[in-house]
Amino acid sequence: MGNFKEDIARCEAFVFDVDGVMTDGGIIPTPDDDFIRRYNAKDGYALAYAIKIGYKVCIITGGRGRTLENRLRMLGIDHFYVDCMDKITAIREYMAGQGLDPANVIYMGDDIPDLDCMREVGLPVCPADAAAEVIEASRYVSEFRGGEGAVRDIVEQVLRARGDWARDSQGVTPSSLAASR
């Protein structure tokens, strides 16, 4: 493996877990069998911007719920696996379907169920508060915790490395990033 900063410039796709990565891991069950999660707006902006300019983003999570799926659609994420208990099969299916070289895929996870996916890709990364085993398996540990900017951190680094960050001042519309209801 080369230098991480050089390697991320070859990133072809981002794959993220949700709980503990896009959120702080807290979930509040609702009476209608859904869950309330708190997302970071800057993470959402970075994801929506990356998708808008052509980057591939996939979500693979054991989490489930209408509000989760609404949030992913709101950000423009077309490829997601929710209520997924077999993450390794999901990531292999996604990478094969998109024609991706695993060496150029980023996977950000935070806990034990993410380890197989992290070992499958060339660019495993994690939030600052990930499990010790995940930190050990990562090529990069964000200074930010899950739900507090870790997603933005890695997306921004890749886009900067490729000259795509803040390429235009238009960005994405705030209405598309509104909190899921």
Side-chain angles (χ1 to χ4, degrees), residues 60-63 81-88 90:
I60 302 176
T61 178
Y81 300 80
V82 296
D83 202 11
C84 181
M85 297 303 125
D86 185 4
K87 291 185 172 192
I88 191 67

Side-chain angles (χ1 to χ4, degrees), residues 16 19 23 28 35 39-40 45-46 53 62 124 126-127 132 143 146 150 166 173:
F16 295 99
D19 297 315
T23 75
I28 301 169
F35 300 90
Y39 299 96
N40 182 292
Y45 176 83
I53 63 173
C126 70
E143 67 183 277
T173 59

